[in-house]
Protein backbone atom coordinates (compact mmCIF):
# COMPACT_ATOMS: atom_id res chain seq x y z
CA UNK A 1 0.00 0.00 0.00
CA UNK A 2 1.46 3.33 -1.02
CA UNK A 3 1.11 6.63 0.76
CA UNK A 4 -1.54 8.98 -0.62
CA UNK A 5 -0.51 12.20 -2.29
CA UNK A 6 -1.04 15.44 -0.44
CA UNK A 7 -3.85 16.32 -2.85
CA UNK A 8 -5.58 13.00 -2.16
CA UNK A 9 -5.25 13.44 1.60
CA UNK A 10 -6.79 16.92 1.41
CA UNK A 11 -9.61 15.63 -0.79
CA UNK A 12 -10.41 12.79 1.60
CA UNK A 13 -10.27 15.04 4.65
CA UNK A 14 -12.61 17.52 2.97
CA UNK A 15 -15.04 14.69 2.13
CA UNK A 16 -14.84 13.43 5.71
CA UNK A 17 -15.53 16.87 7.18
CA UNK A 18 -18.34 17.64 4.74
CA UNK A 19 -20.17 14.32 5.14
CA UNK A 20 -20.00 14.24 8.93
CA UNK A 21 -21.00 17.68 10.15
CA UNK A 22 -21.91 16.26 13.55
CA UNK A 23 -18.19 15.87 14.23
CA UNK A 24 -17.54 19.59 13.81
CA UNK A 25 -18.34 20.27 17.48
CA UNK A 26 -15.79 17.64 18.49
CA UNK A 27 -13.30 19.31 16.20
CA UNK A 28 -13.83 22.64 17.93
CA UNK A 29 -13.17 21.10 21.33
CA UNK A 30 -10.19 19.10 20.07
CA UNK A 31 -8.66 22.18 18.48
CA UNK A 32 -8.32 23.78 21.91
CA UNK A 33 -5.62 21.28 22.88
CA UNK A 34 -4.25 20.55 19.44
CA UNK A 35 -1.10 21.91 17.88
CA UNK A 36 -1.39 25.72 17.71
CA UNK A 37 -4.71 25.46 19.48
CA UNK A 38 -6.34 28.05 21.68
CA UNK A 39 -4.57 26.85 24.83
CA UNK A 40 -1.17 27.00 23.16
CA UNK A 41 -1.93 30.40 21.70
CA UNK A 42 -2.87 31.87 25.06
CA UNK A 43 0.03 30.21 26.88
CA UNK A 44 2.50 31.75 24.42
CA UNK A 45 0.98 35.19 24.69
CA UNK A 46 3.53 37.91 25.32
CA UNK A 47 3.07 41.33 26.81
CA UNK A 48 4.65 44.35 25.23
CA UNK A 49 6.33 46.99 27.40
CA UNK A 50 6.81 50.68 26.69
CA UNK A 51 10.13 50.02 24.95
CA UNK A 52 8.45 47.52 22.59
CA UNK A 53 10.47 44.74 24.15
CA UNK A 54 8.64 41.46 24.49
CA UNK A 55 8.39 40.31 28.07
CA UNK A 56 7.16 36.95 29.22
CA UNK A 57 3.79 37.00 30.93
CA UNK A 58 5.29 35.11 33.85
CA UNK A 59 7.40 38.14 34.82
CA UNK A 60 4.33 40.25 35.58
CA UNK A 61 2.53 37.42 37.39
CA UNK A 62 3.83 38.38 40.89
CA UNK A 63 2.48 41.94 40.46
CA UNK A 64 -0.90 40.65 39.32
CA UNK A 65 -1.11 38.18 42.20
CA UNK A 66 -0.07 40.83 44.74
CA UNK A 67 -2.85 43.18 43.63
CA UNK A 68 -5.32 40.27 43.57
CA UNK A 69 -4.51 39.15 47.12
CA UNK A 70 -4.57 42.72 48.45
CA UNK A 71 -8.12 42.98 47.09
CA UNK A 72 -9.07 39.71 48.81
CA UNK A 73 -8.15 41.15 52.21
CA UNK A 74 -11.13 43.49 52.06
CA UNK A 75 -13.70 40.76 51.40
CA UNK A 76 -16.42 40.15 53.97
CA UNK A 77 -17.61 36.73 55.09
CA UNK A 78 -20.28 36.68 52.36
CA UNK A 79 -17.69 37.71 49.81
CA UNK A 80 -15.48 34.78 50.78
CA UNK A 81 -18.38 32.37 50.36
CA UNK A 82 -19.14 33.77 46.91
CA UNK A 83 -15.44 33.64 46.05
CA UNK A 84 -15.24 29.98 47.12
CA UNK A 85 -18.32 29.10 45.04
CA UNK A 86 -16.87 30.92 42.06
CA UNK A 87 -13.62 28.99 42.44
CA UNK A 88 -15.47 25.66 42.64
CA UNK A 89 -17.58 26.49 39.58
CA UNK A 90 -14.55 27.62 37.55
CA UNK A 91 -12.56 24.55 38.58
CA UNK A 92 -15.44 22.28 37.57
CA UNK A 93 -15.86 24.06 34.24
CA UNK A 94 -12.13 23.77 33.57
CA UNK A 95 -12.09 20.04 34.35
CA UNK A 96 -15.16 19.51 32.15
CA UNK A 97 -13.60 21.50 29.31
CA UNK A 98 -10.29 19.62 29.43
CA UNK A 99 -12.10 16.26 29.63
CA UNK A 100 -14.30 17.14 26.66
CA UNK A 101 -11.35 18.38 24.59
CA UNK A 102 -9.23 15.28 25.22
CA UNK A 103 -12.11 12.86 24.64
CA UNK A 104 -13.00 14.75 21.45
CA UNK A 105 -9.46 14.20 20.15
CA UNK A 106 -9.85 10.45 20.66
CA UNK A 107 -13.32 10.46 19.13
CA UNK A 108 -12.08 12.20 16.02
CA UNK A 109 -9.25 9.71 15.63
CA UNK A 110 -11.73 6.83 15.88
CA UNK A 111 -14.19 8.46 13.48
CA UNK A 112 -11.49 9.21 10.91
CA UNK A 113 -10.17 5.64 11.19
CA UNK A 114 -13.69 4.31 10.51
CA UNK A 115 -13.98 6.64 7.54
CA UNK A 116 -10.66 5.50 6.06
CA UNK A 117 -11.66 1.84 6.52
CA UNK A 118 -14.91 2.60 4.65
CA UNK A 119 -17.01 1.83 7.72
CA UNK A 120 -20.02 3.81 8.81
CA UNK A 121 -18.96 6.61 11.13
CA UNK A 122 -20.88 6.32 14.39
CA UNK A 123 -20.62 9.30 16.74
CA UNK A 124 -21.56 7.26 19.81
CA UNK A 125 -18.94 4.60 19.14
CA UNK A 126 -16.34 7.27 18.43
CA UNK A 127 -17.14 9.14 21.67
CA UNK A 128 -16.92 5.93 23.71
CA UNK A 129 -13.51 5.21 22.16
CA UNK A 130 -12.37 8.76 22.98
CA UNK A 131 -13.50 8.46 26.60
CA UNK A 132 -11.92 5.02 27.01
CA UNK A 133 -8.55 6.39 25.86
CA UNK A 134 -8.83 9.60 27.92
CA UNK A 135 -5.88 9.03 30.27
CA UNK A 136 -3.51 7.95 27.51
CA UNK A 137 -4.42 10.97 25.42
CA UNK A 138 -4.12 13.33 28.38
CA UNK A 139 -0.63 11.98 29.17
CA UNK A 140 0.36 12.38 25.52
CA UNK A 141 -0.91 15.98 25.50
CA UNK A 142 0.96 16.78 28.71
CA UNK A 143 4.15 15.13 27.44
CA UNK A 144 3.93 17.09 24.19
CA UNK A 145 3.50 20.32 26.15
CA UNK A 146 6.54 19.55 28.30
CA UNK A 147 8.70 18.66 25.32
CA UNK A 148 7.64 21.66 23.24
Amino acid sequence: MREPLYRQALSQSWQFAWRHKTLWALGLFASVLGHTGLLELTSELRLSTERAVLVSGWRVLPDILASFFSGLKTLSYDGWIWFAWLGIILLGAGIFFVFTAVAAQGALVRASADFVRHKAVNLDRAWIAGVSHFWRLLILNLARRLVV
Side-chain angles (χ1 to χ4, degrees):
M1 181 176 187
R2 65 183 182 94
E3 293 290 320
L5 297 175
Y6 189 69
R7 182 180 66 232
Q8 292 168 334
L10 281 175
S11 173
Q12 283 183 346
S13 64
W14 178 255
Q15 289 173 7
F16 175 66
W18 193 250
R19 288 182 190 165
H20 305 288
K21 293 180 181 79
T22 56
L23 298 175
W24 289 9
L26 295 179
L28 288 174
F29 277 107
S31 69
V32 170
L33 292 180
H35 181 64
T36 65
L38 183 63
L39 188 62
E40 191 168 323
L41 179 68
T42 56
S43 67
E44 295 296 325
L45 188 64
R46 306 283 186 224
L47 297 175
S48 172
T49 61
E50 291 133 13
R51 291 189 228 153
V53 176
L54 293 178
V55 175
S56 174
W58 293 107
R59 291 186 186 172
V60 296
L61 187 63
D63 297 334
I64 293 171
L65 289 177
S67 64
F68 175 75
F69 286 119
S70 67
L72 285 180
K73 291 178 185 176
T74 61
L75 281 180
S76 65
Y77 181 72
D78 292 340
W80 277 103
I81 291 174
W82 282 108
F83 183 71
W85 274 112
L86 178 66
I88 291 169
I89 290 170
L90 289 177
L91 179 68
I95 290 170
F96 171 77
F97 198 73
V98 168
F99 172 78
T100 305
V102 171
Q105 283 181 339
L108 285 175
V109 168
R110 172 63 186 254
S112 61
D114 286 346
F115 180 76
V116 168
R117 292 182 195 142
H118 303 290
K119 292 183 179 179
V121 175
N122 185 345
L123 182 62
D124 295 335
R125 189 173 58 221
W127 180 256
I128 290 170
V131 170
S132 67
H133 295 289
F134 170 77
W135 290 109
R136 291 181 216 160
L137 289 170
L138 182 65
I139 289 170
L140 281 174
N141 276 307
L142 292 175
R144 183 187 61 84
R145 280 215 158 287
L146 289 174
V147 169
V148 171

